[in-house]
């Protein structure tokens, strides 16, 4: 547990031998918990990999915030300082990719690279396609059941696991294994922090996209933007950010969805390892 400036303690996990430039991974959500252990296991052979539960999430304190993007960026930098790390590669998945981007913009000196995994860009033009894909990838019976669970004011633990599984199954490309893969994180013992989710999502919708894209043109850190070809958050969602960042490399991995390291771990490791070998 690492204590940040306002006394909140954040859960942090470090793996790897620390020989190379460290890498930090920011989980998605907002309001979820660290689920990036399998990805860290692919990448921590030659470096320290840091994972954390964001404020109010999972094993971290601060259940009632305050929740702001700048606050999360400050929490992340406090972790870096507490660990005695001068420079690290800042990585994030989904919402965590947006957080990683904002961290690099705010603290460019400490950013040795930006790893932008399955991000969503800055706009919302993709959201209709995302909604349609979620419905298309469930059977009619599954979608009806998901709607029933959505409508409940309170879900039992079993119903919550079922709701999570059905909600997250469309994130995977392989329909025959989607429910099984989705159930991995659905079984996590922590509750979703809906206050964090609502507050942070509300803030990101108010971002000044033009100003952020202009700021992205000044990012000097090497940047890898990795996205699944079958992600229901379609690859075109990241095109605005990719065009803005001078050093951005976009790699689309075939036959995977939103969590590519669970469906094709070897392909993801090959792409990221190649990028790391070239930038470090």
């Amino acid at each position: 547990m690492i204590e940040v400036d306002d006394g909140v303690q954040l859960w942090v996990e470090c793996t790897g031998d620390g020989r190379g430039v460290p890498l930090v991974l920011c989980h998605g959500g907002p309001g979820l918990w660290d689920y990036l252990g399998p990805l860290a296991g692919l990448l921590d052979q030659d470096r320290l990999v840091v994972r954390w539960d964001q404020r109010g999430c999972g094993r971290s304190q601060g259940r009632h915030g305050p929740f702001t993007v700048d606050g999360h960026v400050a929490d992340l930098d406090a972790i870096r300082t507490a660990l005695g790390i001068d420079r690290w590669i800042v990585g994030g998945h989904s919402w965590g990719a947006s957080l990683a981007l904002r961290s690099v913009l705010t603290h460019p000196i400490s950013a040795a690279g930006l790893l932008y995994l399955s991000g969503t860009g800055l706009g919302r033009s993709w959201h209709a396609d995302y909604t349609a894909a979620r419905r298309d990838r469930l059977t009619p019976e599954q979608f009806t059941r998901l709607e029933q669970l959505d409508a409940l004011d309170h879900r039992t633990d079993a119903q919550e696991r079922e709701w999570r599984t059905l909600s997250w199954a469309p994130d995977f490309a392989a329909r025959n294994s989607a429910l099984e893969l989705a159930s991995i994180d659905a079984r996590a013992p922590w509750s979703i922090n809906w206050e964090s989710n609502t507050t942070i999502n509300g803030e990101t919708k108010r971002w000044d996209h033009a100003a952020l894209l202009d700021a992205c043109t000044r990012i000097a850190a090497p940047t890898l933007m990795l996205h699944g070809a079958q992600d229901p958050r379609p690859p075109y969602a990241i095109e605005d950010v990719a065009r803005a960042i001078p050093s951005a490399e976009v790699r689309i991995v075939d036959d995977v969805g939103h969590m590519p390291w669970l469906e094709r771990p070897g392909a993801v490791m090959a792409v990221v390892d190649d990028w790391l070998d070239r930038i470090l």
Side-chain angles (χ1 to χ4, degrees), residues 94-107:
S94 196
W95 137 250
S98 297
L99 175 56
L101 173 65
R102 291 298 298 263
S103 176
V104 170
L105 289 171
T106 305
H107 301 287

Side-chain angles (χ1 to χ4, degrees), residues 33-99:
W33 47 82
D34 171 66
Y35 47 77
L36 298 171
L39 176 61
L42 298 175
L43 303 175
D44 65 4
Q45 303 306 307
D46 297 315
R47 63 188 40 81
L48 183 75
V49 176
V50 181
R51 302 174 358 252
W52 61 302
D53 281 342
Q54 292 158 29
R55 174 181 295 252
C57 300
R59 292 144 289 197
S60 287
Q61 295 178 351
R63 190 69 189 172
H64 299 292
F67 300 115
T68 66
V69 176
D70 284 347
H72 280 347
V73 169
D75 286 346
L76 181 56
D77 200 57
I79 291 171
R80 180 188 63 81
T81 301
L83 294 176
I85 295 172
D86 292 326
R87 299 180 74 240
W88 60 3
I89 300 159
V90 187
H93 172 252
S94 196
W95 137 250
S98 297
L99 175 56

